[in-house]
């Protein structure tokens, strides 16, 4: 373990005030604060919101490190609520990206929450949907009007590992999209620099299509609705998605809504969720 000492200053994220300082051996500090990090200080748990500089190579060279912290308020386990009923078990790894590379940032919780799956994976999909329904039935917490405001337990989905079991062509999908479709580069995650290798993203209005490709073959194709003003009708996009789903025998799964959508209903689904306006 390195004996070199690093002077660490601790700042409160809410007030900006200095709440402490210490000298710590370089070897006791993480190699990077770019991933989510927590620490104990003055008998409380804090999350590291910002580290300047962020890596051990940098603060080891200067001997100085400033950590901006936010206190994590503890709560009894029964009071901890999740905002979603389900999450995908596995996130793809992120790698370094060339300078200037296009990158669309997603929240980690949004990964594969609405996705296209091969119809022949119906048994796997139905098993996962049953587990998500249990999150609603057993763990949902509702207000006096019956509206869900959180979940005490969630389902972590492990299937399907490869949601597109057949050959789904990326170039064919892109050729069907409206002329206004815009490439957004690769996918990144909030708080993590870099891009997921072999990822892509393209948007039409407020609808974002993203996923992973192995050459021209799609391994993951997911849908996300970006925030914004009222969505415009997108009949060409709806037609393109319906045709792609029919050609490749795909279904759309909205895991959080426990919805399984066939090609003929894709337009109604997108309109009902606000992704596109009604024609």
């Amino acid at each position: 373990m390195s004996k070199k000492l690093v002077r660490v200053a601790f700042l409160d994220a809410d007030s900006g005030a200095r709440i402490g300082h210490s000298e710590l051996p370089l070897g006791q500090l993480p190699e990077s604060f770019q991933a989510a990090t927590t620490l104990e200080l003055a008998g409380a748990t804090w999350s590291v919101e910002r580290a300047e500089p962020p890596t051990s190579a940098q603060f080891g060279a200067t001997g100085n490190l400033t950590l901006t912290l936010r206190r994590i308020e503890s709560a009894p386990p029964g009071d901890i609520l999740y905002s979603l009923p389900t999450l995908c078990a596995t996130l793809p790894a992120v790698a370094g990206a060339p300078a200037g590379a296009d990158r669309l940032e997603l929240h980690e919780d949004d990964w594969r929450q609405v996705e296209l799956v091969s119809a022949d994976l119906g048994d796997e999909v139905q098993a996962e949907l049953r587990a998500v329904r249990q999150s609603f039935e057993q763990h949902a917490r509702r207000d006096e009007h019956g509206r869900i405001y959180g979940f005490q337990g969630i389902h972590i989905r492990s299937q399907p590992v490869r949601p597109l079991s057949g050959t789904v062509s990326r170039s064919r999908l892109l050729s069907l999209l409206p002329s206004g479709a815009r490439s957004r580069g690769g996918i990144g995650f909030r708080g993590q620099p870099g891009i997921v290798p072999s990822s892509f993203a393209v948007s039409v209005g407020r609808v974002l299509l993203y996923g992973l490709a192995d050459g021209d073959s799609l391994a993951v194709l997911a849908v996300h609705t970006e925030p914004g003003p009222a969505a415009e009708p997108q009949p060409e996009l709806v037609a393109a998605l319906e045709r792609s789903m029919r050609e490749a025998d795909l279904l759309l799964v909205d895991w959080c809504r426990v919805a399984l959508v066939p090609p003929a209903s894709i337009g109604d689904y997108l309109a009902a969720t606000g992704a596109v306006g009604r024609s």
Side-chain angles (χ1 to χ4, degrees):
M1 183 176 292
S2 172
K3 299 297 184 181
K4 181 175 182 178
L5 294 178
V6 177
R7 293 179 292 276
V8 185
F10 304 102
L11 306 182
D12 188 309
D14 290 323
S15 66
R18 185 177 175 123
I19 56 177
H21 67 276
S22 183
E23 289 191 349
L24 299 174
L26 177 61
Q28 290 185 6
L29 294 166
E31 292 186 3
S32 172
F33 285 94
Q34 291 170 338
T37 307
T38 60
L39 54 83
E40 297 292 324
L41 181 66
T45 303
W46 303 74
S47 65
V48 179
E49 291 217 337
R50 186 169 63 255
E52 300 172 306
T55 68
S56 63
Q58 294 170 304
F59 55 72
T62 64
N64 292 285
L65 171 63
T66 300
L67 298 178
T68 300
L69 311 175
R70 188 175 301 278
R71 184 166 181 163
I72 299 175
E73 300 296 337
S74 60
D79 294 339
I80 297 174
L81 295 180
Y82 302 94
S83 61
L84 298 170
T86 181
L87 294 172
C88 185
T90 305
L91 285 174
V94 176
D102 289 336
R103 174 181 184 270
L104 179 87
E105 187 174 87
L106 286 179
H107 192 288
E108 291 180 351
D109 290 354
D110 291 330
W111 176 250
R112 286 180 57 185
Q113 293 288 39
V114 180
E115 63 179 332
L116 294 163
V117 301
S118 296
D120 61 4
L121 299 176
D123 289 345
E124 292 182 13
V125 170
Q126 289 295 349
E128 294 285 8
L129 287 174
R130 284 193 293 271
V132 179
R133 287 190 190 98
Q134 290 183 345
S135 291
F136 282 93
E137 294 166 0
Q138 300 175 11
H139 303 300
R141 294 296 174 262
R142 300 175 184 271
D143 63 18
E144 59 184 6
H145 303 291
R147 294 172 298 205
I148 295 174
Y149 60 85
F151 298 85
Q152 281 192 308
I154 63 174
H155 174 61
I156 305 299
R157 307 187 310 275
S158 60
Q159 300 295 329
V161 174
R162 187 179 175 96
L164 303 179
S165 60
T167 300
V168 181
S169 168
R170 175 183 176 183
S171 59
R172 174 60 175 163
L173 170 67
L174 295 178
S175 73
L176 293 173
L177 294 178
S179 58
R182 179 165 65 98
S183 174
R184 304 287 292 276
I187 292 292
F189 293 114
R190 191 172 301 173
Q192 299 184 45
I195 291 176
V196 175
S198 302
S199 66
F200 70 94
V202 59
S203 61
V204 181
R206 289 177 56 194
V207 177
L208 173 71
L209 303 176
Y210 71 93
L212 303 175
D214 182 5
D216 188 51
S217 180
L218 293 178
V220 171
L221 177 58
V223 182
H224 180 66
T225 302
E226 297 188 285
E232 297 291 329
Q234 298 286 349
E236 292 179 327
L237 171 63
V238 170
L241 289 176
E242 181 176 349
R243 185 167 181 178
S244 297
M245 292 171 69
R246 291 187 187 279
E247 288 183 357
D249 196 19
L250 304 178
L251 300 170
L252 181 140
V253 186
D254 186 328
W255 295 107
C256 291
R257 288 185 171 87
V258 200
L260 190 59
V261 182
S265 300
I266 188 64
D268 290 339
Y269 164 82
L270 292 174
T273 58
V276 302
R278 294 192 180 274
S279 301

